[in-house]
Amino acid sequence: MRYSSLFAVLMSALALSACQPVVSPSPTVVAVPGPAGPAGAPGATAEKGATGATGNTGNTGDTGATGNTGNTGATGSTGAEGMQGERGKKGNETVVIVPVPVR
């Protein structure tokens, strides 16, 4: 009889533990902000940093090359020689020009 009552107690404990108890959900807590506090003290002013060093001056550029001398122009051809005039004559012939009467 001991075993049967022990068995009955264990079975009832096991059966009751398998049931899920009804639990109501916990209420959600909403945080509400309070009034703003006083403003904080202003921050300290930082010290001014040292001025940086001046940069180096750049190198001077190279001088450009001198241009080449231009070509000399070609010499022109010699002009053709003009015709020779007739040699002058002595004045023993006189030419008289008579105008033609106009009508």
Side-chain angles (χ1 to χ4, degrees):
M1 174 108 165
R2 266 203 275 170
Y3 293 120
S4 63
S5 10
L6 180 64
F7 182 70
V9 170
L10 286 175
M11 284 307 284
S12 62
L14 184 63
L16 289 176
S17 67
C19 294
Q20 196 173 30
V22 178
V23 179
S24 62
S26 61
T28 305
V29 178
V30 177
V32 178
T45 303
E47 293 181 21
K48 184 176 180 182
T51 303
T54 303
N56 295 335
T57 303
N59 296 334
T60 303
D62 295 335
T63 304
T66 304
N68 296 333
T69 304
N71 296 334
T72 304
T75 305
S77 302
T78 305
E81 193 168 316
M83 293 180 60
Q84 292 286 328
E86 290 183 18
R87 191 155 172 98
K89 296 183 182 180
K90 283 195 167 190
N92 57 1
E93 293 182 22
T94 303
V95 176
V96 177
I97 300 177
V98 178
V100 177
V102 179
R103 290 195 189 176

